[in-house]
Amino acid sequence: STLTRRPKRGTTIREFDPCSDHYVQAYLNRPEVQAALHANATKLPYEWQPCSSVIKKWNDSPTTMIPLIKGLMGQGVRVWVFSGDMDGRIPVTSTKYSLKKMNLTAKTAWHPWYLGGEVGGYTEEYREKLTFATVRGAGHQVPSFQPKRSLSLFIHFLNDTPLPDTSRY
């Protein structure tokens, strides 16, 4: 049956290291790393953690990032929004609904982008200098699940070039 068949290579997250959070925490708590990042200059009495109970109440978190994103775009800043297509915390559909509320004008239609001859995800560009891209096979922390596709996304953002739309890449 299809349930017992082994998935094709690249279709699972077997290359994801579940200990990566521990490595990051150890690295970011090294004194020389904190000095290089100009972090912990006040010498806090506790270590940095990705999730901490130090802050007991957080009341200034916005319910939506849409006004901030619109403000950045209004200042001429290019914005790229990306989602892992396997993200259970913030699904692609939620991000698309948020973008729809911004009343943007499509510059390119929803289409696949490629890396290494494979679909890396899907993307859409808007006239207001916003690009939305999905990353195929990625969960919530996209670079942890798909580092090569994430790097491609980042390089194209820095170079201000569209994601490749042919399988030659």
Side-chain angles (χ1 to χ4, degrees):
S1 88
T2 58
L3 293 177
T4 58
R5 229 181 294 155
R6 185 180 174 106
K8 292 180 183 176
R9 179 163 163 60
T11 60
T12 67
I13 59 170
R14 68 177 152 239
E15 294 166 9
F16 175 73
D17 185 346
C19 297
S20 61
D21 282 349
H22 299 290
Y23 307 144
V24 170
Q25 184 171 341
Y27 180 74
L28 291 177
N29 280 301
R30 292 175 60 172
E32 65 273 21
V33 172
Q34 290 183 349
L37 295 172
H38 305 285
N40 199 14
T42 60
K43 305 297 180 209
L44 296 168
Y46 47 85
E47 287 193 339
W48 176 88
Q49 297 176 20
C51 295
S52 169
S53 60
V54 171
I55 298 173
K56 304 290 183 211
K57 216 172 192 183
W58 188 11
N59 296 325
D60 64 347
S61 179
T63 57
T64 177
M65 295 302 293
I66 292 174
L68 178 63
I69 293 170
K70 280 188 154 187
L72 290 170
M73 292 177 357
Q75 296 296 315
V77 175
R78 283 183 302 113
V79 175
W80 279 34
V81 176
F82 61 94
S83 291
D85 66 4
M86 294 171 51
D87 186 344
R89 181 168 287 177
I90 304 173
V92 170
T93 51
S94 294
T95 305
K96 286 190 71 119
Y97 284 137
S98 294
L99 293 174
K100 186 174 182 169
K101 286 184 176 190
M102 294 175 67
N103 296 316
L104 302 172
T105 306
K107 180 176 162 184
T108 64
W110 185 250
H111 65 278
W113 64 272
Y114 293 85
L115 179 67
E118 296 182 355
V119 172
Y122 288 81
T123 186
E124 187 169 37
E125 295 176 63
Y126 298 93
R127 295 194 192 285
E128 294 85 355
K129 297 181 90 173
L130 185 139
T131 297
F132 174 54
T134 67
V135 180
R136 186 173 62 84
H140 187 63
Q141 295 175 329
V142 172
S144 296
F145 290 91
Q146 292 293 332
K148 289 179 185 172
R149 292 178 186 151
S150 298
L151 180 59
S152 178
L153 199 71
F154 190 63
I155 288 170
H156 285 279
F157 171 75
L158 290 178
N159 290 335
D160 195 14
T161 55
L163 289 162
D165 61 1
T166 73
S167 61
R168 290 188 318 224
Y169 296 95

